[in-house]
Amino acid sequence: MKTNVLISKTELGKVKRTTFNNSSPDTTYGAAMPHDAEGAWQVISKWQEHVPNPHAKPGPDFRAMNKAAADSGLVSSTQIRTFREGHPATLKTGVESVTKAAPRLPSHKDPSFTYGKPATYRSAEEVRNFGLAEPPVKGLVQGAYSHAWVDMNLARQDEFDVRRKYIKPAPTAATEGHALGAQQTIAKHSSSGSGSPTGKSTAAGSSSWKMKKFESKAEPPLGEPYTICAHHRA
């Protein structure tokens, strides 16, 4: 007897029950997956390394063929492909594939070869800055020359003070013209007796200068005088 799967409820904390009644222990739901007779233990205990085929031919060496084609002056893909067909090159195997040893150093060939600058050599700049004598090792170890730049600039303090001195800017034609015009305007009004460039007298007791639109007194607008309503009074 079968039970509808859609109406079968799952109990909390329990495995979902089957919808088939009276199922035998050998019953398999879904596709049966046969197990391989060789398990992981057999695979690990019988590990076999790969043995290359001694009769297999090495593959083509495209890097060597492309380099040879470039050395021959060929640049297009058609020319390079034709060159490969006529000049095949294969990858190196065995002893030939081992990276070559690094070239020997010059000191191996020439025992008198020196790396860097000999200790007895002094350049012209060193002689000019520090003199003919070799600096003592004590000064180098104690860092006595770390403040050489500071001491050199302290000796040039007077020169720096002169450079930092204020230099009055030189007048230009425009500034000289503006100054001359201002002087002429002031002299003109001084000769006319007015104390200001506007021509209005500003002596004590006189009225101050006003714009033209404010010179005339403002007239009240025509109509009834404005009355204060009761609710506008304080």
Side-chain angles (χ1 to χ4, degrees):
M1 178 180 179
K2 295 182 179 180
T3 306
N4 192 345
V5 181
L6 299 179
I7 62 176
S8 176
K9 297 182 180 180
T10 303
E11 297 182 12
L12 183 61
K14 295 184 179 180
V15 180
K16 187 176 181 180
R17 57 187 177 180
T18 178
T19 57
F20 295 91
N21 295 332
N22 302 327
S23 58
S24 61
D26 299 335
T27 303
T28 302
Y29 300 97
M33 301 294 294
H35 295 282
D36 192 351
E38 186 179 19
W41 182 84
Q42 288 80 3
V43 174
I44 296 175
S45 60
K46 297 180 181 179
W47 189 264
Q48 296 182 0
E49 297 182 359
H50 171 70
V51 179
N53 185 4
H55 303 288
K57 297 181 179 181
D61 190 354
F62 291 99
R63 179 182 297 180
M65 290 187 290
N66 293 342
K67 184 178 182 299
D71 295 339
S72 302
L74 306 179
V75 293
S76 64
S77 58
T78 304
Q79 295 174 348
I80 296 176
R81 182 171 59 254
T82 305
F83 181 85
R84 290 174 182 171
E85 295 175 356
H87 303 78
T90 57
L91 296 172
K92 297 179 181 180
T93 57
V95 180
E96 297 180 355
S97 61
V98 179
T99 305
K100 296 182 179 179
R104 299 183 64 187
L105 298 175
S107 58
H108 295 169
K109 300 178 181 179
D110 185 7
S112 62
F113 186 85
T114 304
Y115 295 94
K117 184 184 68 173
T120 56
Y121 172 77
R122 291 178 58 78
S123 62
E125 183 178 1
E126 292 178 352
V127 173
R128 182 173 62 254
N129 295 332
F130 305 102
L132 296 175
E134 182 73 16
V137 179
K138 179 180 179 181
L140 298 176
V141 174
Q142 295 180 353
Y145 303 99
S146 59
H147 300 285
W149 181 85
V150 178
D151 298 338
M152 180 183 62
N153 286 274
L154 289 176
R156 301 173 57 190
Q157 187 66 32
D158 297 339
E159 179 184 351
F160 296 150
D161 294 340
V162 173
R163 292 184 180 181
R164 287 197 297 264
K165 187 178 180 180
Y166 174 75
I167 300 176
K168 186 178 181 180
T172 61
T175 57
E176 291 178 353
H178 293 321
L180 180 60
Q183 293 176 2
Q184 292 176 355
T185 303
I186 294 173
K188 178 180 178 181
H189 292 289
S190 298
S191 60
S192 62
S194 60
S196 62
T198 57
K200 300 292 183 178
S201 177
T202 57
S206 62
S207 60
S208 60
W209 178 83
K210 294 182 180 180
M211 297 180 65
K212 291 184 178 180
K213 63 179 181 178
F214 295 113
E215 289 181 355
S216 60
K217 296 181 179 181
E219 297 293 340
L222 301 177
E224 297 181 359
Y226 177 75
T227 57
I228 300 178
C229 299
H231 61 276
H232 284 167
R233 297 177 180 177

